Every structure is written in structure tokens, then in C-alpha cells.
């Protein structure tokens, strides 16, 4: 007998992207993301505005995801949603919507941890993408998190180290603000970094023990550097922007790679995956590719579509939990802080 197909609708609303995706087993049928441009005017995400925009976007985004997948809501097997971590008001929109729809359709509800999803996005079945072999190390780098996680199985994860202050995405965005770039600045710094000299300026790397990260000192170092240089030459930033961006990126990638090397040394695990918004970065992607030859690592780099926040990653976790019949109770609550 042929196996029945499982259709999962994933819903992501933890920060400023409203997203819905439909999976058939572990293959993506659709992945729709509505980003909220409104926050660019404010130089960062405004939680109150984010919740309102989610409320406005959620039905059209889900509708589009179903339409693109060419299935009806009655064909869905279950609904997976982001329970946390994230902004409470944003999470509430996705959670309430997912509950109502699952209840109305009489199908299971599955809660998903956003950070686990950034890692498990690697298990989406894609042509030309190999799935990680267990155990592997995951470097999750986003606007809210910087962690090295040991992944022994899909739901057996241990955080080996994380940031004690800012996340790496914040380091990008805050440095960008100092340089007068728009929000989020990560992609723009990355674009300019590829045109500049990475060794033009030297920034001090933080000294933090073991697998812990710290980025707040770097951010302050960049601020003081820019203030000092602009005093001498008011056009310093405009005249040297590509070199400044390249030097910042070189420092950040150096910090990430140093910690990864230490994690490999400590665990003996040489299979490395990256996830989260900053895993779109060209510098970290290249550094990991180089490490394959240099250090004999096997690296797993996500498709661009699955790096920044998206519902495809929520849906794949939904699918993996569905196989285990790991369903949620309908009184499950959104949680701003949720550990892996
Ligand atoms: O995972 P994500 O979409 O949202 C969070 O869960 O935080 O990550 C967003 C972060 C932002 O800080 C953004 O600047 C950064 O990812 N980002 C990048 C790049 N693309 C996005 N940072 C560096 N280089 C990039 N190419
Ligand atoms: Zn994220």
C-alpha cells in the first residue's frame, strides 16, 4: 500500500516576518514571507507595530501559501506554529491563529521552538542539499541569538555556548547604525564587505572564556573608532565605507570561526551546520567551505530562503514531530523566552 502523504501548514510570527509554508512530507510546496518594511523607518523592530502587521498579514499569507501549494485547508494533516522565543505580541498572533484553524479543522496542533527550527531547516528535502549526519554542531546566528549547539538527534540538543550580551546579528545591525546604514544592516555590510579590504582596520576581538560569545565590546569599539576618525576627517565613513564594512566582517567571522574550532576540538565532532539570519552571510559561508579542505570538516549551509525567518523551517519541525505524534494541547501558550 502506498504511504499516505502528510501535509503540514507552518506558521511563523516570532519577530517582524509573517510567514506561512506548506510541506508535503519533508518537501516544500510553498513558503510565503511578508516582511514588514515599516521597521526600517525606526532603525529597528517596534514590537507594537510588528504585532499589528502580523494581524493584518496572517490570513493573506496563509491563503497564499495554500494556493501556491495547490491544496485546500481540508487536506492539511496538522498545523505547526512558532511558540517562542520571540516578541510576545508577535507570537500571540501566530499562536492564536494556529490554534483556531487547527481547532476548526479538527486536526492536531504542533508547537515549535524557533531556534530548533533554524537548525532543523537542514532536514527539508531539497535537491543538492545533504542532510546533516548526527551528531553535528550547529552554529545558530541571528538577530536574537548566537549559540553553538550539539545536535545528537532531531530533538536531542545541548547548547554548548552562547552569547553573554549581544547577538551577532545585533553586532551587524548596531555597527550599521553607527555607519548610517539602514535597518537591518547585516545584508548591506555583507555586500560592501565583498568590495573592501578586510585588513584595512583592526578591531579588537573580545576575550571570553570557552564557547561563550560577546559582541557588545566590539560594537563600542567600532563606535569609538568612527567617532575618532570622523573628528579628523568628517567624510571618513563615506570615503572608506567598503573597507570599514570588510574589516568589521573580517573580525566577526574570525570570532565565529575561532569558537567553532574550539568546539570541534572539545567535542571531536567535525560535522558543522549553520542556521539563522546571519548564515546568509557570504563571509561565514566562504569560511566554512574553506574549512572543509583546511580542517577536514563536513559543513552544511542552508539555502538562502531558509536562513532568515521563514515558516518552512517551522513546518519541517512540525513534520518531524508529527511522525512522533508529538502534538500540543490546545491550552499551549506562546513564550517569549524558550530554551532549545
Ligand atoms: O533569523 P533572523 O531573520 O531573525 C531573528 O530570529 O533574529 O535574523 C535576522 C538578522 C539581522 O540581524 C540581519 O542583519 C542579519 O540576520 N542578516 C545578516 C545577513 N542577512 C541577514 N547579517 C550578516 N550578513 C547577511 N548577509
Ligand atoms: Zn530567527
Amino acid at each position: 500500500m502506498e504511504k499516505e502523504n502528510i501535509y503540514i501548514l507552518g506558521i511563523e510570527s516570532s519577530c517582524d516576518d509573517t510567514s506561512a509554508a506548506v510541506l508535503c512530507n519533508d518537501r516544500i510546496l510553498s513558503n510565503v514571507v511578508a516582511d514588514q518594511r515599516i521597521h526600517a523607518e525606526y532603525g529597528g523592530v517596534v514590537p507594537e507595530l510588528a504585532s499589528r502587521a502580523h494581524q493584518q498579514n496572517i490570513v493573506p499569507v496563509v491563503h497564499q501559501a495554500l494556493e501556491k501549494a495547490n491544496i485546500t485547508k481540508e487536506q492539511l494533516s496538522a498545523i505547526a506554529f512558532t511558540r517562542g522565543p520571540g516578541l510576545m505580541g508577535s507570537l500571540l498572533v501566530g499562536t492564536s491563529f494556529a490554534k483556531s484553524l487547527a481547532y476548526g479543522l479538527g486536526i492536531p496542533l504542533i508547537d515549535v521552538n524557533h531556534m530548533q527550527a533554524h537548525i532543523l531547516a537542514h532536514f527539508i528535502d531539497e535537491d543538492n542539499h545533504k542532510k546533516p549526519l548526527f551528531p553535528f554542531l550547529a552554529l545558530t546566528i541571528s538577530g536574537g541569538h548566537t549559540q553553538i549547539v550539539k545536535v545528537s538527534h532531531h530533538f536531542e540538543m545541548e547548547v554548548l555556548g552562547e552569547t553573554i550580551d549581544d547577538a551577532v546579528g545585533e553586532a551587524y545591525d548596531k555597527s550599521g547604525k553607527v555607519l548610517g546604514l539602514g535597518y537591518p544592516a547585516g545584508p548591506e555590510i555583507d555586500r560592501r564587505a565583498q568590495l573592501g579590504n578586510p585588513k584595512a582596520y583592526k578591531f579588537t576581538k573580545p576575550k571570553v572564556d570557552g564557547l561563550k560569545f560577546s559582541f557588545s565590546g566590539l560594537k563600542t569599539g567600532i563606535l569609538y573608532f568612527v567617532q575618532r576618525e570622523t573628528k579628523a576627517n568628517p567624510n571618513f565613513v563615506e570615503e572608506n565605507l567598503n573597507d570599514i564594512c570588510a574589516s568589521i566582517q573580517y573580525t566577526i567571522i574570525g570570532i565565529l570561526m575561532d569558537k567553532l574550532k574550539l568546539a570541534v576540538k572539545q567535542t571531536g565532532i567535525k560535522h558543522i551546520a549553520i542556521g539563522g539570519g546571519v548564515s546568509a552571510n557570504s563571509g561565514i559561508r566562504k569560511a566554512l567551505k574553506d574549512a572543509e579542505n583546511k580542517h577536514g570538516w563536513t559543513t552544511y549551509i542552508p539555502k538562502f530562503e531558509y536562513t532568515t525567518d521563514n515558516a518552512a523551517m517551522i513546518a519541517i519541525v512540525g513534520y518531524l514531530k508529527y511522525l512522533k505524534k508529538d502534538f500540543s494541547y490546545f491550552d499551549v501558550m506562546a513564550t517569549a523566552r524558550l530554551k532549545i
Side-chain angles (χ1 to χ4, degrees), residues 14-15 17 114-115 118 141-145 169-170 172-173 183-187 190 249 276-278 280-282 307-309:
S14 65
C15 190
D17 296 304
H114 180 91
M115 293 314 293
H118 271 304
I141 38 182
S142 72
H145 295 269
E170 267 179 292
Y172 268 102
D173 297 337
Y183 175 86
D190 186 14
Q249 179 135 313
V278 184
N281 184 269
S282 66
T307 54
T308 45
D309 291 346

Side-chain angles (χ1 to χ4, degrees), residues 103-118:
Y103 184 65
L105 292 169
I107 57 176
L109 177 72
I110 302 171
D111 65 276
V112 173
N113 178 314
H114 180 91
M115 293 314 293
Q116 281 192 349
H118 271 304

Side-chain angles (χ1 to χ4, degrees), residues 87-336:
L87 301 170
M88 194 50 168
S90 292
L91 290 166
L92 284 174
V93 178
T95 304
S96 302
F97 183 83
K99 280 187 185 192
S100 317
L101 190 56
Y103 184 65
L105 292 169
I107 57 176
L109 177 72
I110 302 171
D111 65 276
V112 173
N113 178 314
H114 180 91
M115 293 314 293
Q116 281 192 349
H118 271 304
I119 297 173
L120 295 175
H122 284 282
F123 292 90
I124 296 170
D125 191 42
E126 289 279 343
D127 301 335
N128 306 320
H129 178 73
K130 53 184 193 300
K131 294 178 187 170
L133 296 177
F134 298 115
F136 65 93
L137 296 176
L139 174 70
T140 49
I141 38 182
S142 72
H145 295 269
T146 307
Q147 297 182 319
I148 294 180
V149 183
K150 180 180 164 188
V151 187
S152 305
H153 209 269
H154 294 127
F155 297 102
E156 233 175 276
M157 299 189 184
E158 183 192 352
V159 178
L160 302 180
E162 60 191 331
T163 182
I164 55 170
D165 42 55
D166 290 349
V168 61
E170 267 179 292
Y172 268 102
D173 297 337
K174 289 179 179 173
S175 310
K177 208 167 187 175
V178 171
L179 299 174
L181 303 176
Y183 175 86
E188 178 67 1
I189 293 182
D190 186 14
R191 191 184 67 77
R192 289 182 172 275
Q194 294 170 64
L195 307 170
N197 172 10
K199 304 218 170 128
Y201 308 104
K202 201 166 160 39
F203 299 108
T204 320
K205 284 193 202 167
K207 289 182 186 59
V208 267
D209 288 347
L211 297 177
K212 288 192 193 117
F213 293 90
S214 166
F215 288 100
S216 70
L218 177 67
K219 171 192 69 190
T220 318
I222 292 167
L223 174 68
Y224 290 164
F225 162 79
V226 168
Q227 284 176 343
R228 200 173 55 235
E229 296 292 335
T230 32
K231 219 178 235 174
N233 169 14
N235 299 325
F236 173 75
V237 171
E238 294 90 276
E239 286 169 11
N240 301 286
L241 193 51
N242 293 347
D243 285 349
I244 303 171
C245 289
S247 303
I248 293 173
Q249 179 135 313
Y250 180 76
T251 312
I252 292 179
I253 304 306
I255 295 169
L256 297 175
M257 289 305 290
D258 285 353
K259 294 290 179 179
L260 269 182
K261 280 183 218 155
L262 182 61
V264 169
K265 200 169 148 201
Q266 284 185 2
T267 61
I269 298 169
K270 288 188 168 187
H271 284 244
I272 318 283
I274 52 170
V278 184
S279 67
N281 184 269
S282 66
I284 189 72
R285 287 174 168 249
K286 183 172 180 310
L288 280 181
K289 274 276 148 257
D290 292 348
E292 294 213 326
N293 290 329
K294 219 162 140 192
H295 309 299
W297 295 0
T298 305
T299 63
Y300 305 93
I301 296 171
K303 235 175 112 176
F304 276 108
E305 201 184 334
Y306 307 139
T307 54
T308 45
D309 291 346
N310 66 87
M313 68 183 196
I314 304 304
I316 189 68
V317 181
Y319 172 71
L320 294 168
K321 283 193 163 186
Y322 187 94
L323 294 179
K324 300 194 320 154
K325 300 226 177 319
D326 185 356
F327 303 139
S328 314
Y329 292 106
F330 273 82
D331 62 355
V332 63
M333 298 215 295
T335 314

